[in-house]
């Protein structure tokens, strides 16, 4: 078996060998054919060339790798040989640059020190010179020159101060630079790639370390620099005081001819002083100096209790408005040019506060302090206890405050000795600068503190108490004399204007005049606008409650009840007004006019008073005014919500009264049968007399009040009346017809029926009369302006009397 297996394996191997040889021959043949095909085409030749080059890639790669290794070894050798030399060159260049900067710093320090010594000498000289110039105030040129030198000293002090502030930072920077240089000296060669990249790339653009010597120099001068700042501030303040006092004295002399040549020099001196103080960051000192030297003496000379009450009795503050106007005019005439010059000089933008603000800090703050500081003046202005005086005082100060910036920054007012032919006086301040100054006044803490002094809630209570007293008096008179009693207490012109709106009853005219009085210019205070709106809500609600209580009387007896005020109770005429349609309709109409007026004309009035559009000082935008109008409209609309249901209730009362009046004649329907029963009367040719009187109350009332019917009522009330009356009428006719038919049937059984004239029975005559009455009633119902075809009662009447109509036609 093994032998046989071996023979089989040998045979298989031979077969496989033969097969392999055959495949190789075929592959070689195919390869030759492929090569022949590729060589015969252009693309094939290109492919063969690429194949040949690809065989050379490994050789080229190996060659490039060897060259890169050679370059790397060359760079490493260069790094080892030249970087250390480059660092030495770098250090030498930096040393030269440092020496050059050191020379420049030395020159700068020398110049600054020279300026410091010069400023100290100028301040010392100005102190001695100011003593002599105070004795001879006519030397304006010398004063102007001193102020100009002091302003230059202020610039020098500012520069030295800035150098001093940067000195500690320079010292720290120098220490950091030294540490960096020490770290650079410890570098190991050859350098790593990271250390090599950290080396400076451009020697001449490399920043130098901070100047430690310069910083130390200014730090040693720190005491003298601080002293220079304080000395400059004191010297500028002294000069400003001197110049302001001289301006005040010359203005009181009223002799401009001697000083016309000095005006520009004096104003220039003031400008130097103000700029110098602003440069040193002492703008508040400039404002306080101006307030103390220029404004406070003027205020003290004018403000007194006697001057406050000038033109009126004690405590009325009748002279407050003229006093404030006099103060504003005097300040403008004396120091207006200084204020305008300062405002133009220091204005930066609407968002940035000026360094010196003479309008607010120099004028308004001392004036407000004077008004609030004196106890007697403060009590007289802010707490008089009388509504008219509070309102007059508030409006006087509010008007003065809202116009202060405009008056001081406009050169259109009367000029003084200092402002004749004055370039500063003739140069108006731009309007946007004036608005910015006015806004700063209104937002200043002193203004907010002054506003807190007003006891405005008490003022509102006084005004609201007056309004309530006036309205309660009118209500009491109406309860005694009725709705048409003359309770209006205003002028005839006002009454005529209010009547033009549609009001008829004196009580509602009085109410609307009270509501208008809240917004008169001698009553309204804008901070109390929300409270006056609340008062309107209360008064309108009070009037609605009064009307509601009258409608709900329903003939209740008061049994002689006495009121707490000692007057008798309401009269019988008033207690029964809800039974009189003319009174109820008049009240409902006036409530309709009140509702309409409050939501239209009154809303526009309130919005225009709170945010006027014709006021130059008004800061409300169009969007804010629209939003305010929406809020006021919503408040007043909510206020009048209770009026509409009350109007509907009043007309329901009218409908009930007229229904009773129209239903009363229907009692005569029963008598129609008696008219023809056994009377031998001829058949009827016209309606019964009572039919024309059924809807007469409705027609008369509609004729009188057709133009005074509220829109929400419309014609529904008439339809309701005709509907109820026609239903009652049809019920009465239906009962009558039943009775007539029963009578006719009874007579027929007794054979007592007799023929009358015209061949009609008594029952047929009655039916014909009912038919004529129905047609008359339908015609009368159409005359009041309703669709009779939609009234079920009338349709029922026509159906009931239809047989009679047919009998009459036959």
């Amino acid at each position: 078996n093994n032998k046989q297996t071996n023979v089989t394996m040998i045979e298989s191997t031979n077969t496989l060998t033969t097969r392999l040889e055959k495949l190789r021959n075929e592959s070689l043949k195919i390869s030759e054919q492929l090569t022949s095909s590729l060589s015969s085409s252009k693309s094939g030749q290109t492919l063969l060339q690429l194949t040949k080059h690809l065989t050379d890639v490994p050789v080229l790669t190996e060659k490039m790798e060897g060259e890169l290794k050679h370059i790397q070894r060359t760079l490493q050798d260069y790094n080892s040989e030249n970087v250390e030399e480059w660092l030495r060159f770098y250090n030498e260049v930096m040393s030269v640059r440092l020496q050059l900067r050191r020379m420049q710093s030395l020159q700068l320090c020398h110049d600054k020190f020279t300026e410091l010594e010069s400023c100290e000498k100028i301040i010392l000289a100005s102190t001695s010179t100011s003593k002599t110039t105070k004795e001879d105030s006519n030397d304006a040129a010398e004063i102007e020159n001193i102020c100009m030198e002091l302003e230059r000293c202020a610039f020098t002090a500012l520069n030295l101060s800035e150098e001093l502030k940067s000195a500690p930072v320079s010292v720290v920077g120098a220490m950091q630079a030294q540490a960096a240089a020490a770290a650079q000296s410890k570098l190991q060669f050859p350098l790593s790639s990271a250390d090599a990249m950290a080396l400076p790339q451009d020697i001449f653009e490399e920043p130098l370390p901070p100047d430690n010597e310069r910083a130390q120099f200014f730090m040693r001068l720190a005491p003298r620099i601080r002293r220079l700042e304080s000395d400059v501030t004191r010297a500028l303040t002294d000069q400003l005081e001197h110049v302001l006092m001289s301006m005040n004295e010359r203005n009181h002399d009223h002799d401009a001819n001697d000083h016309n040549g000095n005006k520009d020099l004096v104003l220039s001196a003031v400008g130097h002083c103000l700029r110098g103080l602003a440069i040193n960051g002492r703008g508040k000192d400039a404002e306080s100096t101006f307030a103390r030297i220029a404004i406070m003496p003027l205020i003290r000379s004018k403000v007194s209790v006697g001057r406050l009450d000038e033109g009126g009795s004690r405590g009325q503050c009748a002279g407050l408005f003229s006093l404030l106007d006099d103060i504003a005019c005097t300040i403008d005439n004396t120091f207006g040019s200084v204020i305008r010059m300062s405002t133009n000089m220091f204005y930066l933008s609407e968002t940035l506060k000026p360094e010196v603000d003479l309008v607010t800090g120099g004028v308004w703050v001392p004036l407000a302090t004077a008004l609030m500081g004196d106890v007697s003046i403060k009590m007289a202005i802010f707490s008089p206890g009388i509504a008219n005086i509070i309102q007059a005082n508030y409006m006087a100060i509010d008007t003065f405050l809202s116009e202060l910036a405009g008056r001081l920054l406009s050169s259109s007012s009367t000029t003084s000795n200092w402002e004749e032919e004055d370039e500063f006086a003739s140069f108006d301040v731009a309007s946007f600068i004036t608005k910015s100054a006015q806004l700063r006044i209104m937002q200043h803490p002193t203004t907010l503190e002054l506003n807190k002094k007003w006891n405005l809630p008490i003022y509102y209570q006084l005004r609201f108490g007056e309004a309530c007293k006036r309205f309660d008096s009118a209500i009491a008179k109406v309860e005694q004399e009725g709705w048409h009693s003359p309770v209006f207490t205003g002028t005839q012109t006002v009454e005529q204007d209010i009547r033009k709106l549609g009001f008829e009853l004196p009580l509602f005219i009085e109410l609307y005049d009270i509501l208008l009085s809240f917004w008169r210019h001698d009553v309204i205070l804008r901070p109390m606008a929300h409270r006056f709106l609340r008062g309107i809500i209360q008064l309108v609600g009070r009037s609605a409650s009064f009307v509601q209580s009258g409608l709900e009387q329903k003939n209740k007896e008061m049994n002689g009840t006495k009121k707490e005020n000692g007057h008798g109770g309401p009269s019988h005429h008033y207690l029964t007004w809800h039974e009189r349609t003319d009174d109820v309709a008049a009240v409902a109409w006036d409530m309709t006019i009140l509702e309409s007026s409050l939501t239209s004309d009154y809303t526009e009035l309130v919005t225009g008073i709170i945010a006027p559009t014709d006021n130059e000082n008004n800061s409300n935008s169009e969007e804010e005014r629209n939003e305010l109008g929406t809020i006021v409209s919503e408040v007043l609309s909510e206020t009048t919500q209770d009026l509409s249901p009350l109007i509907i209730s009043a007309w329901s009362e009218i409908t009930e009264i007229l229904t009773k009046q129209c239903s009363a004649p229907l009692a005569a329907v029963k008598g129609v049968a008696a008219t023809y029963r056994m009377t031998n009367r001829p058949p009827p040719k016209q309606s019964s007399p009572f039919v024309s009187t059924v809807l007469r109350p409705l027609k008369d009332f509609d004729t009188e009040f057709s133009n005074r019917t509220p829109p929400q009522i419309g014609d529904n009330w008439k339809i309701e009346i005709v509907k109820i009356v026609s239903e009652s009428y049809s019920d009465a006719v239906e009962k009558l017809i039943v009775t007539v038919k029963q009578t006719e049937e009874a007579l027929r059984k007794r054979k007592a029926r007799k023929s009358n004239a015209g061949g009609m029975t008594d029952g047929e005559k009655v039916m014909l009369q009912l038919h004529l009455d129905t047609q008359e009633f339908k015609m009368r119902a159409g005359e009041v302006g309703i669709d009779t075809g939609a009234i079920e009662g009338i349709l029922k009447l026509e159906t009931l009397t239809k047989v009679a109509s047919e009998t009459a036609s036959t």
Side-chain angles (χ1 to χ4, degrees):
N1 293 331
N2 291 334
K3 184 177 180 180
Q4 186 177 358
T5 301
N6 292 332
V7 172
T8 302
M9 293 178 61
I10 291 172
E11 291 177 354
S12 299
T13 302
N14 293 331
T15 302
L16 292 172
T17 303
T18 303
R19 181 66 176 167
L20 178 60
E21 186 66 25
K22 185 178 180 179
L23 291 173
R24 285 178 177 175
N25 293 332
E26 291 179 355
S27 175
L28 181 60
K29 184 178 180 180
I30 294 171
S31 177
E32 290 176 355
Q33 293 177 354
L34 178 61
T35 303
S36 177
S37 299
L38 290 174
S39 61
S40 62
S41 63
K42 186 175 181 179
S43 59
Q45 292 176 0
T46 303
L47 182 60
L48 289 175
Q49 290 177 2
L50 288 175
T51 303
K52 182 179 179 180
H53 288 304
L54 288 175
T55 57
D56 298 336
V57 170
V59 178
L60 295 174
T61 303
E62 184 178 357
K63 184 179 179 181
M64 291 177 64
E65 185 177 351
E67 291 178 355
L68 288 175
K69 290 181 179 179
H70 176 71
I71 292 173
Q72 184 178 5
R73 287 193 300 270
T74 303
L75 288 175
Q76 289 177 352
D77 295 340
Y78 177 82
N79 183 29
S80 301
E81 294 174 359
N82 297 292
V83 169
E84 186 173 0
E85 181 64 23
W86 185 89
L87 287 176
R88 284 196 298 271
F89 176 73
Y90 168 78
N91 291 331
E92 290 178 0
V93 172
M94 295 298 290
S95 176
V96 172
R97 291 180 63 193
L98 287 172
Q99 290 298 327
L100 180 61
R101 188 187 68 178
R102 188 167 183 270
M103 293 176 60
Q104 295 174 348
S105 298
L106 288 174
Q107 183 63 41
L108 176 65
C109 291
H110 176 268
D111 293 342
K112 294 295 182 182
F113 185 76
T114 303
E115 290 179 3
L116 175 62
E117 290 184 329
S118 175
C119 290
E120 291 174 342
K121 292 178 181 179
I122 290 174
I123 293 173
L124 183 62
S126 66
T127 304
S128 59
T129 305
S130 61
K131 296 179 180 179
T132 58
T133 54
K134 287 180 181 179
E135 298 176 358
D136 184 12
S137 59
N138 295 326
D139 196 356
E142 185 176 358
I143 295 175
E144 193 269 343
N145 184 60
I146 293 173
C147 293
M148 180 176 63
E149 293 293 332
L150 289 176
E151 182 184 1
R152 187 175 66 83
C153 292
F155 272 109
T156 301
L158 176 63
N159 293 332
L160 293 173
S161 178
E162 291 177 349
E163 291 284 355
L164 185 59
K165 291 178 182 178
S166 62
V169 178
S170 300
V171 173
V172 173
M175 295 175 63
Q176 294 175 349
Q178 292 176 0
Q184 190 181 77
S185 64
K186 296 180 180 179
L187 293 175
Q188 299 296 327
F189 300 95
L191 296 178
S192 63
S193 58
D195 291 338
M197 292 299 295
L199 291 175
Q201 301 298 317
D202 192 343
I203 298 176
F204 297 99
E205 296 296 331
E206 182 71 13
L208 295 174
D211 192 351
N212 189 23
E213 292 181 342
R214 176 177 171 180
Q216 292 178 352
F217 173 78
F218 283 105
M219 290 179 68
R220 294 188 64 179
L221 288 179
R224 295 181 65 177
I225 293 174
R226 298 304 183 196
R227 186 168 57 252
L228 175 64
E229 290 179 343
S230 60
D231 291 345
V232 168
T233 301
R234 185 178 63 256
L236 286 170
T237 303
D238 291 342
Q239 292 298 327
L240 180 61
E241 291 178 0
H242 172 60
V243 173
L244 292 176
M245 286 189 293
S246 65
M247 290 182 66
N248 201 5
E249 291 173 358
R250 291 175 179 180
N251 186 73
H252 287 303
D253 290 342
H254 300 289
D255 186 7
N257 296 326
D258 296 338
H259 309 298
N260 282 339
N262 297 333
K263 290 183 297 183
D264 293 341
L265 294 176
V266 172
L267 289 175
S268 178
V270 173
H272 289 310
C273 293
L274 294 178
R275 285 193 298 271
L277 291 172
I279 289 170
N280 272 357
R282 298 302 181 92
K284 294 297 181 183
D285 291 351
E287 295 174 4
S288 62
T289 301
F290 184 80
R292 176 169 48 86
I293 301 301
I295 304 302
M296 286 305 297
L298 187 150
I299 294 175
R300 284 193 292 266
S301 66
K302 293 182 177 297
V303 178
S304 64
V305 176
R307 179 67 176 81
L308 201 62
D309 294 329
E310 188 177 58
S313 58
R314 182 65 179 269
Q316 288 187 348
C317 297
L320 178 60
F321 189 87
S322 61
L323 170 63
L324 296 175
D325 184 69
D326 184 22
I327 292 175
C329 289
T330 305
I331 293 175
D332 183 43
N333 292 338
T334 308
F335 302 104
S337 56
V338 175
I339 296 173
R340 285 188 287 276
M341 176 187 66
S342 171
T343 303
N344 278 300
M345 187 165 52
F346 290 104
Y347 178 81
L348 299 176
S349 68
E350 294 183 2
T351 57
L352 295 178
K353 183 180 179 180
E355 185 67 28
V356 178
D357 186 4
L358 295 185
V359 175
T360 304
V363 176
W364 167 239
V365 171
L367 177 58
T369 303
L371 296 178
M372 295 185 293
D374 191 294
V375 178
S376 58
I377 293 178
K378 181 177 70 174
M379 292 296 294
I381 294 177
F382 299 100
S383 303
I386 301 176
N388 290 333
I389 298 178
I390 295 177
Q391 198 275 342
N393 293 349
Y394 182 91
M395 292 305 299
I397 292 182
D398 184 69
T399 302
F400 170 79
L401 191 58
S402 62
E403 298 175 354
L404 180 59
R407 295 188 64 172
L408 296 180
L409 299 180
S410 174
S411 62
S412 58
S413 58
T414 303
T415 58
S416 67
N417 296 333
W418 282 98
E419 295 182 345
E420 295 174 358
E421 300 178 359
D422 179 13
E423 58 177 343
F424 293 107
S426 61
F427 183 75
D428 279 340
V429 179
S431 59
F432 64 90
I433 299 180
T434 302
K435 291 181 179 179
S436 178
Q438 186 62 50
L439 184 61
R440 290 195 301 273
I441 293 176
M442 304 306 293
Q443 295 177 347
H444 196 273
T446 302
T447 306
L448 302 179
E449 181 182 358
L450 181 137
N451 289 333
K452 293 179 181 178
K453 299 296 182 182
W454 298 104
N455 201 346
L456 297 184
I458 296 298
Y459 171 75
Y460 167 74
Q461 292 297 333
L462 293 173
R463 289 299 190 187
F464 187 67
E466 293 174 356
C468 290
K469 182 178 180 181
R470 182 179 170 186
F471 190 56
D472 289 342
S473 176
I475 288 178
K477 194 169 184 180
V478 169
E479 289 179 341
Q480 295 297 320
E481 302 177 11
W483 284 103
H484 296 277
S485 59
V487 299
F488 183 67
T489 57
T491 62
Q492 185 177 2
T493 303
V494 173
E495 182 179 4
Q496 292 174 354
D497 293 338
I498 296 177
R499 285 187 180 276
K500 290 178 181 179
L501 298 175
F503 289 100
E504 297 180 354
L505 298 178
L507 177 65
F508 285 94
I509 297 176
E510 179 79 349
L511 172 62
Y512 197 73
D513 185 52
I514 293 173
L515 300 183
L516 291 176
S517 67
F518 285 160
W519 309 101
R520 290 204 310 262
H521 291 287
D522 58 346
V523 174
I524 182 60
L525 298 180
R526 290 182 64 188
M528 290 288 101
H530 64 290
R531 297 212 176 197
F532 281 109
L533 284 174
R534 188 176 66 182
I536 293 169
I537 296 173
Q538 293 175 328
L539 287 175
V540 173
R542 174 76 173 88
S543 64
S545 299
F546 177 67
V547 173
Q548 182 70 31
S549 63
L551 292 176
E552 294 176 352
Q553 284 294 330
K554 299 297 183 183
N555 295 322
K556 292 181 180 179
E557 295 294 333
M558 300 299 293
N559 296 324
T561 304
K562 299 296 183 179
K563 293 187 176 181
E564 294 181 359
N565 58 9
H567 298 288
S571 63
H572 177 74
H573 179 74
Y574 168 75
L575 293 176
T576 58
W577 72 268
H578 64 280
E579 299 177 359
R580 295 185 295 275
T581 55
D582 54 344
D583 281 351
V584 177
V587 171
W589 175 247
D590 276 27
M591 286 193 295
T592 303
I593 297 299
L594 178 63
E595 179 183 17
S596 174
S597 300
L598 288 178
T599 54
S600 57
D601 298 340
Y602 197 78
T603 300
E604 296 178 0
L605 171 67
V606 173
T607 305
I609 293 297
I610 298 177
T613 58
D614 57 348
N615 188 357
E616 295 181 357
N617 296 318
N618 182 42
S619 59
N620 299 106
S621 64
E622 185 67 24
E623 182 180 356
E624 291 172 336
R625 282 191 289 269
N626 293 335
E627 183 179 0
L628 175 63
T630 302
I631 294 174
V632 173
S633 178
E634 291 176 354
V635 171
L636 295 179
S637 297
E638 185 177 353
T639 303
T640 58
Q641 285 181 355
D642 295 336
L643 296 181
S644 186
L646 198 58
I647 295 169
I648 296 174
S649 177
W651 276 87
S652 298
E653 192 74 20
I654 293 173
T655 302
E656 182 179 350
I657 296 172
L658 290 177
T659 301
K660 292 180 180 179
Q661 293 176 356
C662 292
S663 299
L666 295 179
V669 174
K670 298 178 181 180
V672 174
T675 302
Y676 295 98
R677 181 63 60 197
M678 300 178 70
T679 59
N680 199 25
R681 286 191 176 186
K685 295 182 180 180
Q686 59 184 11
S687 62
S688 302
F690 77 90
V691 178
S692 61
T693 64
V694 174
L695 297 180
R696 183 177 297 169
L698 172 60
K699 184 177 180 181
D700 293 344
F701 180 85
D702 184 50
T703 301
E704 183 179 358
F705 292 95
S706 60
N707 295 328
R708 291 178 289 172
T709 303
Q712 62 266 42
I713 300 300
D715 292 335
N716 294 332
W717 63 283
K718 293 189 290 186
I719 297 174
E720 183 68 19
I721 294 173
V722 174
K723 179 182 177 182
I724 296 174
V725 173
S726 63
E727 288 177 354
S728 300
Y729 191 9
S730 63
D731 291 342
V733 169
E734 185 177 16
K735 293 178 181 179
L736 179 61
I737 291 175
V738 171
T739 302
V740 170
K741 287 182 178 181
Q742 290 176 352
T743 304
E744 287 289 314
E745 186 66 25
L747 291 175
R748 189 180 298 112
K749 290 180 180 180
R750 297 177 185 179
K751 299 181 180 180
R753 181 181 178 189
K754 295 181 180 180
S755 177
N756 295 313
M760 295 181 66
T761 64
D762 293 342
E764 291 172 345
K765 293 178 183 179
V766 172
M767 295 297 291
L768 180 58
Q769 183 66 61
L770 292 177
H771 172 70
L772 294 175
D773 292 348
T774 299
Q775 296 303 314
E776 177 70 14
F777 180 79
K778 181 178 180 180
M779 182 189 69
R780 297 289 183 178
E783 290 178 353
V784 297
I786 63 173
D787 183 11
T788 57
I791 305 299
E792 295 181 359
I794 295 178
L795 296 176
K796 184 178 179 181
L797 282 171
E798 290 181 330
T799 302
L800 291 173
T801 60
K802 184 178 180 181
V803 177
S805 176
E806 294 175 352
T807 303
S809 63
T810 59

